[in-house]
Amino acid sequence: MRIGIVNDSTIAVEALRRTLAQRPGLEVAWVAHDGAQAVALCAPVPPDLVLMDLVMPVMDGVAATREIMRRTPCPILIVTSDVGHHASLVFDAMGAGAVDAVDTPVLGTPGRARPASSLLAKIEAIAAQQADARVPPPVVAPATAKGTDALVAIGASAGGPAALATLLGRLPANFAAGVIVVQHVDDAFAPGMATWLDQQTSLSVRLAQAGERPRAGVVLLAGGNRHLRVEASGRCVYTDEPTQAVYRPSIDVFLQSVAENWRARAVGVLLTGMGRDGAAGLGAMRSQGFITIAQDRATSAVYGMPKAAAEAGAASEILALPTIAPQLVALFGTV
């Protein structure tokens, strides 16, 4: 796996080099000391992964992420000194197409060191996601059943925060359907993302709690490193199964549960993201007669998941991001 490092700190670069050296198969492709240099180095041959700092001279990590995803898309992992302190920038970078974020490892004595295990785990997960993207989606057998209220079931990954802000921001406060969102995000960032999204829309956004039902005017965001499902009762539940799923939470697991258990009106929406998580679940929903929407290529920060859904025939409609909310309002109305 060829990895590009983007960081203006010599100490941080050395820490990242030593971290990558701990795993066979991880190779430093190049080192850039600012965002503009990273964009230029990605141009000839994009690496398999870019480790991107946020605060740098010339071009910051958010702008560099946006440019790389526009010109030569490749997986980008935000690696910065304090993810919590830079939460707003992290969400901006994820909205531009970054897949995840983690604190920079710190070398030194045990009392002052920050272990490299979290970064290595993120890299391994991204490698697994890339492998999953090359595997055709499974053939989904029709489900047997069809809550109690109208539901919009949304899945998103890389580029998702910005896309969700746009979509949810265009829904009125009196929107007549409940909304559940599964966004690929580290469980440490989920509460902050719920708070951030709540500021982008007139709807109420919060983390989904086990046992609650979706209701009109409320957006429930999957939280924690577990899968979210809806039961036949319409209640949300968290589960560790299937344990072999590449993504946690998995969009496929969530949408499949909607296809199997939701007995009222529902629409499935698959937004920007890397890989193909959600394509099979969206197909399961369509096979049960639900309307299914995939974001189009032109407005997707990363045209991976929506493309997989479109190619599999899982989407009954392919829509530009700005038109999805008006379509949902036309379908469900207001209260």
Side-chain angles (χ1 to χ4, degrees), residues 227-249:
H227 304 304
L228 180 69
R229 293 175 51 88
V230 291
E231 297 182 312
S233 64
R235 296 184 183 276
C236 295
V237 295
Y238 284 101
T239 176
D240 293 322
E241 298 293 335
T243 57
Q244 73 275 15
V246 173
Y247 303 90
R248 300 175 67 88

Side-chain angles (χ1 to χ4, degrees), residues 19-212:
T19 297
L20 298 179
Q22 296 178 29
R23 291 289 191 275
L26 300 183
E27 168 193 350
V28 177
W30 43 256
V31 175
H33 298 290
D34 59 57
Q37 188 179 8
V39 173
L41 288 170
C42 277
V45 181
D48 299 310
L49 176 65
V50 173
L51 305 183
M52 178 76 72
D53 193 16
L54 283 173
V55 182
M56 295 176 293
V58 183
M59 181 184 289
D60 66 23
V62 176
T65 296
R66 185 174 294 110
E67 277 301 297
I68 290 171
M69 296 310 296
R70 184 178 69 85
R71 299 184 186 189
T72 51
C74 64
I76 297 175
L77 174 63
I78 299 300
V79 184
T80 194
S81 58
D82 189 336
V83 167
H85 181 72
H86 297 112
S88 179
L89 289 176
V90 168
F91 295 141
D92 287 344
M94 293 181 68
V99 296
D100 209 338
V102 67
D103 289 334
T104 308
V106 175
L107 305 178
T109 58
R112 301 184 63 183
R114 182 186 294 147
S117 55
S118 295
L119 172 58
L120 291 172
K122 298 284 188 186
I123 293 173
E124 290 168 359
I126 291 169
Q129 291 166 10
Q130 287 178 294
D132 176 71
R134 294 189 287 268
V135 178
V139 176
V140 180
T144 56
K146 293 239 205 328
T148 54
D149 300 307
L151 172 67
V152 177
I154 303 175
S157 187
L164 288 167
T166 296
L167 193 163
L168 299 177
R170 298 188 178 206
L171 293 177
N174 59 347
F175 182 56
V179 180
I180 299 179
V181 175
V182 173
Q183 160 75 46
H184 291 161
V185 64
D186 189 284
D187 58 346
F189 307 142
M193 180 168 288
T195 300
W196 181 77
L197 284 173
D198 187 62
Q199 298 167 354
Q200 315 302 315
T201 176
S202 58
L203 302 172
S204 172
V205 183
R206 65 171 185 263
L207 293 182
Q209 301 299 313
E212 74 173 316

